[in-house]
Amino acid sequence: MFVRPLCIVLLCLIQGWISLFAAQACAAAIENPELARPKVALVLSGGGARGFSHVGVIKVLEELGVKVDIVTGTSMGAMVGGGYASGYSVEQMQDIILGVDWTEMFALRPDRSDLNWRRRQDDFKGLGSGEMGLSDNGVLFPDSVVPAQHLEIFLRSITKHVSSVTDLSELSIPFAALATDLDSGYPVVMQKDVTLADAMRSSMSVPGAFSPFPYKGRVLVDGGLAQNLPVEQAKAMGADIIIAVNAGTPLGKSKDIQSVAGVMGQVVGILTERNVDYSKSLLTERDILITTDLEGFGAGDFDKAEAIIKAGEKSARAYEKELRRLAVPRKQYLAWNENRMASVKPPAARSITSVKVEGLQTVNPAGVIKSAGLNLEEPVTEEQIAEASARIWAMDDFTLVPYEIEPGPNGTQTLIWRPQEKPWGYNTIRVGGKVSTDFNQEHSFDFLLAHTMGWLNSWGGEWRNEAQIGKDSYFSTSLYQPLGEASPIFVMPEIRFESQRYDWYNGSSHAEATMKNSSLEGSVSLGIEFGKSSVLTAGLGYISAQSKVSVGHINGYESMDDTAAFAELTWRYDTLDNINFPSKGFYLDVEARRYTHMANSADTQVSDYYVETLLPWDWGDGWISLLSAKAGSSTIPGRYPLGGLFNMSGAYYGRYSGSDMFLGRMMLMKRLNQTDLFGFPLYVGGGFEMGRVQEDVLPDYLSDKDLGVWKKAFSAYVAADSLFGPVYLALGNTTDGDSALYFFWGRPLQ
């Protein structure tokens, strides 16, 4: 009989407790609105340059006062999302993106000013920057098309204000980036025990484009392969409501896919879209999915960043009604946003007391430290460390030069570089060459194969073999041996064989015979490097040379043979920014040789010399002028041929050949900034050339009657600085009435 009244009493007590707790919770919510507000996550997808649209979306969120509690991102979404989570404003992110030279970001090698003099000289030979490794397992190829060092330096630069943070949940907004494990294909969350720069870098490692990122024994690639729209990770971080922004590239139509690259891109797109569909299925009615309208923009349109950002802003404004319900009071938002941006401050210079280089198997660490060139007697900034990393990378020994800073004793710090040695090794092959035709009688080519075996010893000895066939053929083998660790002084023994053919016109409009010159020489030089741009050598050698008629007949002449010992001096100075289309810098090449005795010369001693110089001048607005000249004197007949594009344009190659030569050029070109050829810079230009040759080695009665007279030529051209070297379509005309239309691939300014 007491059960029913007891139950009624218990129910009343429970109801009272519930009312009391509800009142307390309501009071707490009024006192602290954050307890009642749901956690909002911003989820940003990958998409290459299309991911710039995320900045436009964030701009709308800021205008509406939407407070973001969590950020997750993949690939370009990781870069933009990480920047926002670390404290950047929309204006700052936009300025960073628009201020980047994306052409340099995707450059295939370091800036030319950072290269050593040997690699700069390779440019004049027409050698490509790509290389293949030779090993016991056969031929090995690089694991990426674009080196990741420029990206590495850029990401460290923009994240320097949070470089000491290794738990990304402690950023102004908790953040996580997504990468993909190359072994398993599973997503890897980059948040704990990682810097923001490394999290971005791993998430942006597009397979085949950038090299994979090593992390805790794993090899990571672009997160888009596993989770391009990381909704699942946002939920795992406690998100109640998600704003997901998808900037991925839609799948193409099979009828429009007409290349291997197109097929590969479509396959990657299929994999990405499938995981994006799964991420979309996790969204609820409370969540907001913004698919940015980027019609006409591709993943590679980095030069259209401003328009893509505006397109993202426009897309987000279509969702203003849904987004407004997530806004907080303006005063509250401004206070939060000001606190979020407070972390973006230049970090103080670091007191680095020691530098270490770890993980090297082949390259000498002492050379790495010397190339870095850091002055530890003064505090070191992040910019100085990044510049030092760039100098180390320019040694051409590493694929990537990451670094870490660890605490040392008594408040000091230790800088640790962990350069990644080339996985294809230091026994490499590179190729180069050029092709020319005047669509009439002149069709020529040169194909060059260069074999380099680097790091023969701890001092950095390098053995180089080169073989070229074609219009001018040669073979050389040389050893570059520094005399000490990272020493600027070196010795270089070399053996070289050359074979050259040239036509003998004798004043006629058609060749009457073809001459062939060949020489075999050996030498040993002692050199000293003055920085990276200048080198001086002095050497001794011996040469055996022959000149003979190979086609046709010349009355009274069969062949000429000679041998001699010689001493030589060379000096090269090269600060050109671009070897094909330079806009600044200077180039000077001086070679002088003194022979002790030549059997076919009346003089007991004979001298040779060669001088070449090039001076570009940038007038602004894409206008560039070039002044260049070359002159030489040789003991070999016909050593210097003139004819061909920019070498007496309009005349056949070798139309004027002699032992003495002078040629001067004046050129003016204009870069067409709005007109590219398949994405490569396009130029138009014209030039004037004046020169002459003389023959002082052959007897007077064999000298071409057309020699010794100053000749003039004019040219006009359109050219592209392509991935595979410069390409020209040009028209040339000489004052002798010769004219030609040229197609030229390679470097014609020789």
Side-chain angles (χ1 to χ4, degrees):
M1 61 182 300
F2 297 103
V3 173
R4 185 173 180 182
L6 182 60
C7 289
I8 293 174
V9 171
L10 289 175
L11 287 173
C12 291
L13 289 174
I14 292 172
Q15 185 175 4
W17 289 337
I18 292 175
S19 299
L20 177 62
F21 289 151
Q24 291 176 342
C26 184
I30 293 174
E31 183 177 344
N32 186 0
E34 288 296 302
L35 296 176
R37 195 183 68 84
K39 284 189 176 182
V40 176
L42 179 63
V43 178
L44 305 178
S45 77
R50 291 166 61 96
F52 294 150
S53 61
H54 296 320
V55 177
V57 174
I58 294 174
K59 180 179 180 180
V60 174
L61 297 182
E62 287 198 342
E63 289 180 1
L64 298 177
V66 176
K67 180 185 173 184
V68 175
D69 304 282
I70 297 166
V71 179
T72 62
T74 297
S75 197
M76 188 60 76
M79 191 188 86
V80 175
Y84 184 60
S86 69
Y88 280 118
S89 67
V90 168
E91 291 76 16
Q92 288 171 323
M93 288 191 291
Q94 183 166 316
D95 289 343
I96 289 172
I97 290 172
L98 298 182
V100 172
D101 184 346
W102 295 101
T103 301
E104 180 180 349
M105 181 71 71
F106 301 120
L108 301 182
R109 68 174 193 177
D111 189 274
R112 197 166 186 272
S113 63
D114 291 327
L115 296 177
N116 62 51
W117 67 270
R118 303 190 313 284
R119 296 299 172 257
R120 297 190 199 196
Q121 280 301 115
D122 286 346
D123 291 342
F124 288 89
K125 301 171 185 176
L127 279 173
S129 59
E131 60 184 18
M132 301 169 287
L134 301 178
S135 71
D136 295 338
N137 298 322
V139 179
L140 303 177
F141 294 90
D143 56 6
S144 63
V145 175
V146 181
Q149 184 65 24
H150 288 299
L151 178 63
E152 174 89 8
I153 292 175
F154 169 69
L155 294 178
R156 287 190 178 276
S157 172
I158 64 174
T159 61
K160 59 190 176 185
H161 59 291
V162 291
S163 58
S164 61
V165 178
T166 56
D167 183 349
L168 305 186
S169 66
E170 296 177 357
L171 294 176
S172 297
I173 305 176
F175 172 74
L178 271 292
T180 302
D181 189 317
L182 188 58
D183 290 321
S184 67
Y186 289 118
V188 178
V189 179
M190 303 297 288
Q191 187 184 63
K192 306 295 183 181
D193 299 322
V194 67
T195 64
L196 180 57
D198 286 345
M200 292 177 176
R201 163 76 174 86
S202 63
S203 187
M204 299 176 71
S205 298
V206 180
F210 292 115
S211 58
F213 183 79
Y215 175 73
K216 293 186 176 181
R218 293 177 170 183
V219 178
L220 306 182
V221 294
D222 192 292
L225 298 176
Q227 207 171 114
N228 198 48
L229 190 65
V231 171
E232 190 171 2
Q233 177 58 30
K235 288 182 175 290
M237 292 171 67
D240 297 312
I241 296 178
I242 289 174
I243 303 172
V245 186
N246 183 22
T249 304
L251 294 176
K253 302 296 182 182
S254 58
K255 63 182 179 63
D256 299 324
I257 301 173
Q258 301 175 352
S259 67
V260 173
V263 173
M264 294 177 63
Q266 183 76 347
V267 170
V268 172
I270 291 172
L271 296 174
T272 301
E273 283 300 303
R274 292 180 69 176
N275 71 61
V276 168
D277 287 341
Y278 171 73
S279 295
K280 290 179 181 178
S281 70
L282 300 178
L283 298 175
T284 67
E285 293 182 354
R286 299 182 67 192
D287 302 322
I288 301 171
L289 173 63
I290 300 175
T291 301
T292 49
D293 183 2
L294 299 172
E295 183 70 27
F297 297 109
D301 288 336
F302 291 91
D303 59 335
K304 301 177 182 177
E306 187 171 8
I308 293 174
I309 292 173
K310 290 181 179 178
E313 179 184 348
K314 182 178 179 181
S315 298
R317 293 199 184 283
Y319 294 84
E320 278 194 32
K321 182 178 179 180
E322 293 89 339
L323 294 172
R324 282 188 185 279
R325 64 182 174 85
L326 302 178
V328 298
R330 194 63 187 171
K331 184 177 180 181
Q332 178 185 341
Y333 176 81
L334 291 176
W336 168 82
N337 201 38
E338 183 177 350
N339 184 63
R340 179 188 69 82
M341 295 187 295
S343 64
V344 184
K345 298 177 181 178
R350 299 177 181 273
S351 177
I352 305 293
T353 56
S354 62
V355 175
K356 296 180 181 179
V357 179
E358 297 180 349
L360 297 185
Q361 301 295 321
T362 302
V363 181
N364 191 331
V368 174
I369 294 175
K370 186 169 184 178
S371 294
L374 278 179
N375 179 13
L376 301 185
E377 295 181 358
E378 298 178 357
V380 179
T381 65
E382 291 285 342
E383 289 84 354
Q384 290 172 326
I385 297 175
E387 291 170 358
S389 297
R391 289 192 291 270
I392 295 172
W393 181 54
M395 293 172 60
D396 197 34
D397 291 322
F398 309 110
T399 58
L400 193 66
V401 186
Y403 65 87
E404 293 182 4
I405 297 175
E406 296 185 352
N410 302 319
T412 62
Q413 293 178 310
T414 299
L415 172 62
I416 301 176
W417 271 297
R418 295 188 174 90
Q420 297 177 18
E421 295 181 320
K422 295 178 179 179
W424 56 92
Y426 298 93
N427 185 15
T428 62
I429 292 289
R430 295 166 63 195
V431 298
K434 53 181 177 286
V435 174
S436 176
T437 179
D438 65 359
F439 303 99
N440 186 11
Q441 298 184 30
E442 181 71 26
H443 312 286
S444 64
F445 76 95
D446 286 321
F447 174 75
L448 176 59
L449 183 69
H451 165 251
T452 304
M453 186 174 290
W455 288 100
L456 299 175
N457 48 57
S458 62
W459 286 1
E462 181 178 282
W463 181 29
R464 166 66 73 87
N465 299 294
E466 296 179 7
Q468 178 172 291
I469 59 173
K471 180 178 64 180
D472 297 314
S473 300
Y474 75 89
F475 170 79
S476 70
T477 181
S478 63
L479 175 65
Y480 166 79
Q481 180 58 62
L483 300 180
E485 291 183 344
S487 172
I489 302 174
F490 63 92
V491 293
M492 181 178 286
E494 180 179 14
I495 298 174
R496 183 180 182 91
F497 172 79
E498 287 190 45
S499 177
Q500 173 199 25
R501 295 177 184 269
Y502 70 96
D503 292 330
W504 186 69
Y505 284 83
N506 196 31
S508 172
S509 60
H510 299 283
E512 296 186 4
T514 299
M515 305 284 286
K516 179 182 179 181
N517 295 331
S518 59
S519 63
L520 175 64
E521 64 181 64
S523 64
V524 177
S525 299
L526 178 67
I528 181 169
E529 302 168 3
F530 300 97
K532 297 181 179 181
S533 59
S534 183
V535 60
L536 177 69
T537 66
L540 300 173
Y542 193 84
I543 184 172
S544 175
Q546 181 187 66
S547 178
K548 66 179 182 179
V549 179
S550 64
V551 178
H553 177 72
I554 300 178
N555 291 329
Y557 183 79
E558 291 297 333
S559 66
M560 183 180 71
D561 299 275
D562 229 328
T563 59
F566 62 84
E568 66 178 354
L569 188 69
T570 69
W571 178 43
R572 292 188 179 92
Y573 179 81
D574 180 4
T575 58
L576 296 177
D577 61 334
N578 183 310
I579 194 63
N580 300 317
F581 300 95
S583 61
K584 60 182 178 180
F586 181 67
Y587 176 76
L588 177 65
D589 182 8
V590 179
E591 302 174 14
R593 179 177 288 188
R594 185 73 166 173
Y595 296 96
T596 57
H597 174 72
M598 302 198 80
N600 291 307
S601 173
D603 299 327
T604 57
Q605 292 186 327
V606 181
S607 299
D608 284 0
Y609 75 86
Y610 178 78
V611 179
E612 182 178 359
T613 184
L614 174 62
L615 174 65
W617 190 266
D618 189 346
W619 297 94
D621 196 29
W623 287 99
I624 299 171
S625 63
L626 299 176
L627 295 178
S628 63
K630 60 181 180 177
S633 177
S634 175
T635 56
I636 300 175
R639 179 67 179 86
Y640 299 111
L642 290 183
L645 184 59
F646 304 148
N647 285 277
M648 208 55 65
S649 301
Y652 298 138
Y653 169 79
R655 173 65 179 83
Y656 313 105
S657 298
S659 59
D660 293 77
M661 171 273 301
F662 175 85
L663 177 69
R665 308 184 188 98
M666 293 187 295
M667 303 176 67
L668 181 66
M669 61 183 177
K670 162 74 172 176
R671 176 171 178 174
L672 305 178
N673 294 322
Q674 303 302 321
T675 307
D676 289 351
L677 181 64
F678 303 113
F680 301 117
L682 194 65
Y683 298 83
V684 294
F688 169 73
E689 305 141 40
M690 184 172 69
R692 72 171 183 175
V693 294
Q694 296 183 154
E695 184 57 76
D696 294 336
V697 177
L698 292 175
D700 291 341
Y701 71 91
L702 292 179
S703 296
D704 192 328
K705 300 179 181 60
D706 208 21
L707 300 183
V709 179
W710 287 97
K711 308 293 182 181
K712 302 179 183 65
F714 303 87
S715 62
Y717 62 89
V718 58
D721 194 5
S722 79
L723 179 65
F724 306 102
V727 179
Y728 293 83
L729 184 63
L731 179 66
N733 183 267
T734 72
T735 51
D736 281 349
D738 296 324
S739 62
L741 177 66
Y742 296 98
F743 170 80
F744 198 104
W745 166 70
R747 184 177 180 274
L749 288 176
Q750 293 180 343

